[in-house]
Amino acid sequence: MSRKYEVKSDQTLTVIKQLLNQGITKIAAIIRHSERLYSTQARMEPFMNLTPEGLQYAVEMGQNLPAGPLPRMYSSYIGRCIETAYLIDKGFSRQHGIQLPHNQPKEQLAPFYIKDNQKALALLKEQGTYTYIRNWFDSRLDDTVMENPATTAAALTRFMTEQVNGLADNEIAICVSHDWNIFPLKEFALGLPHEEAGDIGYLDGVVFFENKNRMFITSYQADPRPVIAAS
C-alpha cells in the first residue's frame, strides 16, 4: 500500500517560533511521527517504522528547533513514534551541542481510544478511513469499539495541558503521536473537521501554550483558541 502525505515540519516549527517570538515559552506540541512504511496486512500496522526519508525529516526537524527552550521529548510507545522522537533529539543535539534527557513513552500518545482492534479494523476496511472517522466523531460507532470521541479529545487535552504545566523554565514539550490522536483535537478543540482541514501530514500537529495564566491551542491552520478545562 502506498500513501502520500505532505511533510509539515516547517509549518509546525513556524507556529512554535512565532509563539517564542511573542515571548511565550510554556509550549507543548503534539505532532504526528515522520514519514512511515505501510503494509497491506493490517496485523503489521504496529510494526511499520520510518522510511529512509522519514528518518532524515525527523533529524532535520530537530536541527531546525531553536537552541532554547530545550525540547523535552515524549512519544507513543509505537516504534515509528519512538524513532521520530529519538531522531528529533539527535538532530537537535547535533545542531546545538546540547544533550537532552531521554524520550518518555506515554500511553496517551498511543492509540488508547481503540477498544477492539479486530472490530475497528474490520469497520475501517468496510467504511474507508474518512467515513470511519466521521462516524466515530458523530458517535455512530459503539463505545466497545472506539472510545467516545469527546472523551478521547478531553483526555488528550488534559494530557497536553499537564505537559505545559509541568515544564521547567527553558523547556518545551515535543510529543510524538499519531494522526488519529490529532484529528480529535482539531475537530473538538480547534473546530477543524478533517473534511475541511485535510490530512494530517508527517510532523504536523497542534500546539498548546500558556499565556497570561490561560491555556490555548493553535495550529498553522487556526488562530489560538482558549482550552476548555477537561474534567
Side-chain angles (χ1 to χ4, degrees):
M1 182 184 301
S2 177
R3 298 182 186 175
K4 294 292 183 183
Y5 296 95
E6 292 184 51
V7 179
K8 297 290 182 69
S9 51
D10 286 347
Q11 289 88 331
T12 302
L13 287 164
T14 294
V15 173
I16 292 171
K17 290 175 181 178
Q18 287 175 341
L19 292 172
L20 292 173
N21 289 338
Q22 295 169 37
I24 296 166
T25 56
K26 299 201 74 174
I27 298 169
I30 177 170
I31 65 173
R32 189 184 181 192
H33 53 75
S34 193
E35 185 179 274
R36 54 163 290 191
L37 297 166
Y38 287 90
S39 173
T40 57
Q41 301 178 56
R43 64 183 179 82
M44 295 300 296
E45 172 65 17
F47 309 106
M48 294 291 100
N49 292 335
L50 302 184
T51 65
E53 294 81 5
L55 300 174
Q56 186 59 34
Y57 297 147
V59 171
E60 290 172 355
M61 185 172 189
Q63 290 174 324
N64 289 319
L65 281 166
L70 301 179
R72 182 194 288 184
M73 303 302 305
Y74 300 93
S75 77
S76 164
Y77 52 72
I78 302 295
R80 54 188 172 269
C81 295
I82 294 173
E83 276 187 302
T84 300
Y86 174 82
L87 291 168
I88 291 174
D89 174 337
K90 295 311 160 194
F92 180 88
S93 297
R94 178 189 300 173
Q95 183 70 21
H96 301 296
I98 301 170
Q99 297 299 313
L100 300 177
H102 291 305
N103 170 56
Q104 300 179 51
K106 296 289 184 179
E107 181 180 0
Q108 295 92 333
L109 297 172
F112 66 89
Y113 39 81
I114 301 177
K115 299 301 183 183
D116 187 320
N117 281 315
Q118 287 189 330
K119 287 183 180 179
L121 287 170
L123 287 171
L124 178 62
K125 184 176 181 180
E126 175 187 322
Q127 297 175 9
T129 299
Y130 302 116
T131 298
Y132 184 91
I133 292 173
R134 175 48 53 205
N135 285 337
W136 178 29
F137 288 170
D138 290 347
S139 298
R140 290 195 289 264
L141 297 179
D142 195 286
D143 284 2
T144 61
V145 178
M146 297 285 286
E147 179 69 80
N148 176 277
T151 301
T152 299
L156 288 162
T157 297
R158 184 165 53 249
F159 173 79
M160 293 303 298
T161 299
E162 289 170 355
Q163 304 322 300
V164 174
N165 290 334
L167 291 170
D169 290 340
N170 199 38
E171 284 186 332
I172 63 172
I174 306 294
C175 304
V176 184
S177 189
H178 306 270
D179 53 349
W180 280 41
N181 291 61
I182 299 169
F183 277 127
L185 290 172
K186 285 196 173 185
E187 172 100 5
F188 291 93
L190 277 175
L192 290 172
H194 67 83
E195 293 91 344
E196 298 175 15
D199 285 324
I200 293 163
Y202 297 120
L203 303 170
D204 185 4
V206 300
V207 178
F208 288 75
F209 66 95
E210 183 184 290
N211 187 25
K212 298 179 180 178
N213 297 315
R214 296 183 67 193
M215 195 70 62
F216 294 87
I217 181 174
T218 190
S219 81
Y220 75 93
Q221 294 175 302
D223 292 332
R225 284 193 175 195
V227 169
I228 299 172
S231 60

